[in-house]
């Protein structure tokens, strides 16, 4: 996904802002999506990847900043590309979902 992001759901509630993500203890990282092809030319891929600090993003963008817009505001420091992927991980939601599924091994 370049310039777009998956917006997760939490039991019927959408997590739409940086403040919502903070509340759900989110972790995130960015990766440069530049490379492989530019038109008909093959170009060198940029492999830059970096964990992002959610607290710093909230301090600079505000709690109400939409998650869907975050990738459009980032740039790769290595190659300068604006083609960025942002990947979210919500460990608290993972724990809730695994607890709701019940113990493993029982059918």
């Amino acid at each position: 996904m370049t310039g777009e992001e998956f917006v997760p759901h939490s039991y019927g509630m959408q997590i739409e802002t940086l403040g919502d993500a903070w509340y759900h203890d989110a972790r995130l990282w960015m990766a440069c999506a530049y490379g492989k092809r530019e038109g008909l030319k093959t170009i060198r891929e940029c492999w830059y990847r970096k964990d992002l600090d959610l607290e710093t993003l909230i301090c600079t963008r505000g709690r109400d900043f939409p998650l869907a817009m975050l990738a459009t505001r980032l740039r790769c420091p290595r190659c300068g590309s604006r083609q960025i992927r942002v990947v979210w991980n919500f460990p608290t939601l993972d724990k809730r979902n695994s607890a709701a599924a019940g113990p493993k091994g029982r059918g």
Side-chain angles (χ1 to χ4, degrees), residues 35-105:
K36 290 192 179 178
R37 290 249 181 240
E38 187 173 280
L40 296 175
K41 294 190 309 184
T42 301
I43 58 175
R44 183 173 298 180
E45 217 170 336
C46 179
W47 292 93
Y48 185 80
R49 180 188 182 279
K50 181 73 176 169
D51 292 331
L52 299 176
D53 181 36
L54 188 55
E55 186 175 3
T56 301
L57 289 171
I58 290 174
C59 289
T60 58
R61 308 282 187 227
R63 292 179 53 87
D64 295 330
F65 190 83
L67 298 182
M69 289 182 59
L70 188 57
T72 64
R73 305 300 170 118
L74 299 173
R75 181 182 292 240
C76 176
R78 183 173 293 154
C79 70
S81 172
R82 287 204 173 267
Q83 296 177 15
I84 299 294
R85 286 178 287 133
V86 176
V87 180
W88 294 89
N89 181 22
F90 291 86
T92 56
L93 296 180
D94 292 341
K95 289 177 190 173
R96 288 183 198 157
N97 290 338
S98 64
K104 294 186 180 195

